[in-house]
Amino acid sequence: MGVVRLGYIHVRVTDIEEAKKHYCQTVGFRLVKDEGKRVFLKGWDEWEHHSVVLEEGGIGVIKLGYKVAKADDLEVIEAKAKTFGVAMERMSAGDNLETADGLRITLPSTHTIELYHNMTVTGSDVGRINPDVFPRDLVGIGAPRIDHALLGCDNVNETEKFLIDVFDFYQVERLVPDLEHQDVSLATWLSSGNRGHDLALIQGEGYSGKLHHFAFQLQEWSDILHAGQIMSMDDVPIEMGPTQHGITRGKTIYYYDPSGNRNEVFADGYTAQRDRPTIIWTADHLAKGINYVNRTLAEAFTTVLT
Amino acid sequence: MTVITLDGTGLALEARPGESLTETFRRAGLMMRDGCLRGGCGMCRVRVVSGTITLSRTVCEQALPLADRDQGLTLACRAVPTSDVTVAIPPDGKLRCVTPLLTALARHQSSLIGDVMGQPVAIRSGPLPELVPA
């Protein structure tokens, strides 16, 4: 089975109180553990203990946790990763709050990925038995869960090969310079299940180790508009949208959290399949791929990573 | 009343209490190069030529190194004047007029500022959209 999904993301924020207010009141995540300068949050439809960790001091991403289906998967991935010679260590139960042991890997892009197979299940807000379709006390956007992350990378080809060979991701879409160079990835969208992407990479000098954005999952186009309405009420700076991506066909808004980390609300496009031929975007169509409707890109979109 | 003078443009804007430079610019129909508007990306750098500002929120080293702050650089989205200030926007800051209606209103207000303070503020004449070459 291997990797199942993005389970948690741990990011830096400049002001923990402002961040808490934004992620809880605007995004609608729930505070599950408050350690003062570090807080743990979850969405209403997430059953594990937490999915977002905010830590005061700077901006950017500290690490991402991807859940694997079985404990055995960790050994399989560990063996494969050894052949790549990347930095790797076993992590102990308790290294992460309410999370069992796992594997900590430094990607060729220098990002820290933690693979885990067991986090305490605390249940979703609607429960498991005859659940209602959403909780009555949603706050703000009321995002049900996290979705995916897009990471910066100096060499996309190198890191995507690692993710495909070791994590068993498959490539759903790829941005290439032109049709004569379809083997050169400028950006890549990788999936482990049937989502358009669970992890994506974008190339740029000095981008390794950086975060382009992480996303919250919404269900429908109308949810995206609703999110935009809430953002306007709360003076959240929007970079793009509401619009649709050509790439993944997802519906989207890009915006910034109070520290300047880029976030996205994202509602799925098509169902991805392992045997679906990889979709190719040429660089001259990048604006259409990212912003299908308006076909414009804000200057910051491809230049600012945190 | 706090006045923001835009160096080299002859334009002076009235700042509302607690308002960031970016907010004042936008209220005056002006835009400049910016990004996250949260003090995280560092794209809206300007230089404080005279006067004082405070940062309304913590701005990290990554977005605005301390060495740059020492040289008078700040981020327009987080800088709030604490006195009358003169601000220089670098050429790559691409200051431009995007809503002439609002800029005209701001010019009118700034001419009143001059009257009120007894110190006429220089207002450059000419087509509004060419306030600053892009």
Side-chain angles (χ1 to χ4, degrees):
Chain A
M1 277 284 286
V3 173
V4 178
R5 65 171 176 272
L6 175 63
Y8 58 85
I9 183 161
H10 190 149
V11 295
R12 296 184 191 283
V13 296
T14 48
D15 183 318
I16 196 73
E17 291 305 321
E18 275 219 301
K20 247 162 58 177
K21 187 176 167 203
H22 168 80
Y23 283 95
C24 293
Q25 300 300 313
T26 302
V27 179
F29 263 40
R30 191 156 54 80
L31 185 66
V32 292
K33 173 85 172 177
D34 191 337
E35 294 181 345
K37 297 297 183 189
R38 185 167 63 166
V39 299
F40 298 77
L41 312 171
K42 72 182 285 186
W44 67 262
D45 208 20
E46 292 172 327
W47 50 89
E48 291 186 334
H49 182 268
H50 63 267
S51 62
V52 172
V53 185
L54 307 172
E55 184 169 327
E56 187 167 277
I59 50 175
V61 62
I62 295 172
K63 60 191 183 181
L64 302 100
Y66 277 84
K67 169 118 182 193
V68 297
K70 307 188 302 288
D72 294 352
D73 291 326
L74 296 174
E75 284 157 36
V76 173
I77 290 171
E78 186 175 29
K80 286 192 206 165
K82 272 184 184 156
T83 66
F84 269 80
V86 295
M88 176 168 57
E89 61 179 351
R90 281 277 174 171
M91 60 182 194
S92 310
D95 274 12
N96 291 291
L97 186 66
E98 302 289 344
T99 308
D101 59 347
L103 197 57
R104 183 177 295 121
I105 294 178
T106 306
L107 295 182
S109 62
T110 77
H111 298 92
T112 301
I113 301 282
E114 293 179 338
L115 300 169
Y116 71 100
H117 71 95
N118 194 4
M119 183 190 284
T120 304
V121 172
T122 51
S124 81
D125 284 9
V126 290
R128 192 167 70 82
I129 310 295
N130 306 322
D132 281 314
V133 293
F134 64 87
R136 292 288 291 266
D137 57 350
L138 288 182
V139 176
I141 293 166
R145 58 171 300 109
I146 56 170
D147 194 284
H148 66 266
L150 169 56
L151 304 177
C153 201
D154 286 78
N155 183 336
V156 168
N157 274 103
E158 181 186 29
T159 300
E160 81 177 359
K161 179 170 171 47
F162 180 89
L163 292 167
I164 290 169
D165 290 357
V166 178
F167 288 3
D168 202 28
F169 280 114
Y170 65 98
Q171 187 171 53
V172 182
E173 306 207 15
R174 169 183 260 189
L175 175 72
V176 302
D178 52 50
L179 291 177
E180 284 68 52
H181 299 89
Q182 293 189 37
D183 55 339
V184 176
S185 274
L186 297 176
T188 189
W189 288 263
L190 304 172
S191 183
S192 60
N194 293 107
R195 315 288 320 291
H197 55 328
D198 294 289
L199 181 56
L201 304 169
I202 185 167
Q203 184 147 314
E205 197 179 336
Y207 282 6
S208 282
K210 294 193 168 183
L211 173 71
H212 185 277
H213 71 267
F214 70 96
F216 294 93
Q217 188 179 118
L218 299 180
Q219 295 302 309
E220 300 169 26
W221 173 236
S222 56
D223 297 335
I224 298 289
L225 175 61
H226 174 255
Q229 291 163 336
I230 298 290
M231 289 177 200
S232 192
M233 289 178 199
D234 290 353
D235 293 327
V236 174
I238 288 179
E239 181 170 83
M240 191 183 96
T243 185
Q244 182 176 22
H245 294 304
I247 297 163
T248 75
R249 297 183 201 153
K251 281 74 72 177
T252 176
I253 298 174
Y254 285 113
Y255 62 99
Y256 288 95
D257 82 358
S259 306
N261 292 306
R262 188 185 285 100
N263 287 151
E264 180 183 24
V265 285
F266 178 87
D268 261 340
Y270 59 86
T271 302
Q273 304 278 346
R274 237 168 227 285
D275 64 332
R276 182 188 180 113
T278 298
I279 288 173
I280 298 291
W281 289 87
T282 53
D284 58 343
H285 283 63
L286 177 63
K288 190 175 179 182
I290 302 290
N291 189 354
Y292 188 79
V293 180
N294 304 79
R295 300 203 201 185
T296 55
L297 292 178
E299 181 184 349
F301 187 79
T302 57
T303 61
V304 172
L305 287 80
T306 60
Chain B
M1 182 190 306
T2 305
V3 178
I4 301 168
T5 302
L6 290 173
D7 194 44
T9 71
L11 189 64
L13 308 171
E14 178 188 340
R16 291 179 179 169
E19 195 172 58
S20 70
L21 295 174
T22 301
E23 286 168 331
T24 309
F25 297 165
R26 289 191 171 198
R27 203 164 43 71
L30 307 175
M31 286 197 61
M32 65 171 291
R33 179 175 182 262
D34 56 30
C36 72
L37 300 174
R38 298 287 213 183
C41 73
M43 285 177 69
C44 61
R45 283 179 185 217
V46 298
R47 182 180 300 281
V48 179
V49 178
S50 67
T52 54
I53 58 98
T54 185
L55 293 170
S56 61
R57 303 281 195 286
T58 303
V59 169
C60 66
E61 173 77 8
Q62 184 179 326
L64 186 67
L66 292 175
D68 289 355
R69 300 178 204 205
D70 290 344
Q71 294 181 15
L73 291 172
T74 192
L75 300 182
C77 73
R78 290 302 200 201
V80 176
T82 49
S83 73
D84 288 354
V85 290
T86 298
V87 175
I89 293 160
D92 70 358
K94 298 173 189 161
L95 180 72
R96 62 211 184 270
C97 170
V98 293
T99 319
L101 173 73
L102 295 177
T103 309
L105 189 64
R107 283 176 182 238
H108 175 66
Q109 286 168 339
S110 61
S111 67
L112 294 179
I113 292 169
D115 290 345
V116 169
M117 300 176 73
Q119 298 170 328
V121 176
I123 305 289
R124 178 191 287 175
S125 59
L128 286 169
E130 295 172 14
L131 176 71
V132 172

